[in-house]
Amino acid sequence: MMPVDDFQNGISVENISLKLNEGNIFDFDYAPEERDSLHISFNAENSQEYKYFSLIFKNGIWQEGNNPFFTSIQKEIATGEIKVIYKEENHFLKHCEYLESEYGIVIPESIKVKYAHIKSDSEDPIYLAIRNLKRYKLFYTPEFIKSVAKTYFKIYPDENSERLQEMINSAQNKFSLLESKFISGTENFNFLNRCLKDLNYEINKCFSVAIPIDDENYLIINGILSGTMITKVIREKKYIKNKTQKLRFENFEIIKNLNEY
């Protein structure tokens, strides 16, 4: 992966170099020596949101760069983390905490970083969608639909797909991220929850969880597409056995990955 210049949260090549050249900002005794290097990465636990840049102490100052990878002997001096401290309570981040505790919605770190400093009166559609969020939606994966159909028609080999189709359509907006199951006070989703169990409740394999931006566009907040804008385009046919045993499920296409902007 290519390095970036700015993590968009105050951590950038320019800012960190400036701080380093003003004096020691480490929490231990350290005096840089020629060709010492500092590698700074963001969210290394999630490959989809991973960002990094490297600095090197050269000619008496810290600057962007690093030692040649294949011809250098490297010794690790220390590791640690940079903390971004907000001067005032950040209402956007507090709202993200509320969404996670109340609904189980985990806003991707890249989105938090991007919008933590935005003005409260911003008209940015993604910012507004998160601030005004009251619902989320599932887009089923082909793997989940295939598993559901295989199980259902094994139990009901002579039944058509009408009842199952109604079930998966209705369940699309009735999934609890907090409890990892479909919930309804009037409908029975035991069968779909059984299918979830068969897939070991691996949500990322079963659904793309999406926040609506408008009537057609959504922001994916889980899995490998986390932080990706999509648009709903068609209702895809998935034939299982014959013309009476088929399932339809919503498909989408990617507009852009916000991590690239």
Side-chain angles (χ1 to χ4, degrees):
M1 297 177 65
M2 295 297 292
V4 299
D5 293 327
D6 194 340
F7 291 173
Q8 299 180 323
N9 63 346
I11 298 176
S12 66
V13 170
E14 181 180 2
N15 289 345
I16 299 300
S17 297
L18 182 63
K19 292 287 186 183
L20 286 167
N21 289 323
E22 286 177 348
N24 181 35
I25 59 173
F26 297 94
D27 61 358
F28 61 97
D29 292 333
Y30 167 66
E33 299 181 3
E34 185 74 5
R35 304 201 74 84
D36 277 2
S37 61
L38 177 64
H39 181 84
I40 299 176
S41 61
F42 169 73
N43 203 34
E45 294 181 359
N46 186 334
S47 61
Q48 297 302 311
E49 299 183 358
Y50 182 84
K51 299 177 183 178
Y52 78 94
F53 61 79
S54 297
L55 303 173
I56 188 170
F57 190 74
K58 194 173 179 181
N59 300 323
I61 62 170
W62 287 98
Q63 55 191 282
E64 185 174 12
N66 56 273
N67 290 298
F69 182 75
F70 293 106
T71 58
S72 301
I73 298 175
Q74 181 172 292
K75 178 183 178 181
E76 187 174 277
I77 297 173
T79 61
E81 61 182 24
I82 299 174
K83 293 183 178 180
V84 179
I85 300 174
Y86 298 97
K87 294 180 180 179
E88 301 176 356
E89 183 179 47
N90 190 286
H91 295 292
F92 179 77
L93 295 181
K94 292 293 288 185
H95 181 67
C96 290
E97 291 176 4
Y98 166 77
L99 293 177
E100 183 170 358
S101 63
E102 188 72 12
Y103 302 107
I105 298 172
V106 180
I107 302 299
E109 285 297 320
S110 58
I111 302 298
K112 291 180 183 179
V113 167
K114 189 177 181 68
Y115 291 100
H117 296 283
I118 202 167
K119 293 182 178 179
S120 60
D121 59 354
S122 171
E123 295 297 317
D124 183 280
I126 294 176
Y127 173 78
L128 291 176
I130 294 173
R131 286 303 305 266
N132 300 323
L133 181 62
K134 294 182 175 62
R135 62 186 177 88
Y136 54 89
K137 182 175 184 176
L138 304 182
F139 287 91
Y140 299 116
T141 64
E143 180 179 359
F144 181 69
I145 290 294
K146 182 178 180 180
S147 177
V148 166
K150 182 179 179 180
T151 303
Y152 187 84
F153 294 127
K154 184 178 181 180
I155 299 172
Y156 307 105
D158 299 321
E159 188 170 330
N160 63 34
S161 58
E162 183 177 342
R163 185 160 64 116
L164 179 58
Q165 185 71 67
E166 290 178 359
M167 188 188 304
I168 66 168
N169 290 350
S170 177
Q172 197 168 8
N173 294 304
K174 297 183 176 70
F175 186 77
S176 169
L177 288 169
L178 282 176
E179 300 184 50
S180 295
K181 66 179 182 180
F182 295 97
I183 297 176
S184 173
T186 58
E187 298 171 272
N188 187 336
F189 292 132
N190 288 340
F191 171 75
L192 290 182
N193 288 325
R194 170 188 165 181
C195 292
L196 274 176
K197 182 179 180 181
D198 291 342
L199 291 171
N200 298 315
Y201 299 101
E202 295 186 49
I203 303 303
N204 291 341
K205 287 185 177 181
C206 300
F207 328 113
S208 291
V209 183
I211 294 174
I213 305 302
D214 52 42
D215 290 340
E216 292 295 324
N217 300 314
Y218 293 80
L219 174 69
I220 302 295
I221 60 169
N222 72 313
I224 62 173
L225 293 179
S226 175
T228 300
M229 281 283 290
I230 64 165
T231 185
K232 183 176 61 174
V233 288
I234 61 172
R235 290 185 62 82
E236 182 179 277
K237 292 182 179 179
K238 184 71 175 181
Y239 291 92
I240 306 302
K241 186 175 179 181
N242 54 50
K243 289 186 177 181
T244 65
Q245 294 182 333
K246 61 187 178 183
L247 289 180
R248 299 170 184 264
F249 59 101
E250 286 183 307
N251 196 12
F252 58 80
E253 66 179 18
I254 294 175
I255 301 176
K256 64 182 179 182
N257 191 319
L258 296 183
N259 297 329
E260 299 173 356
Y261 291 78

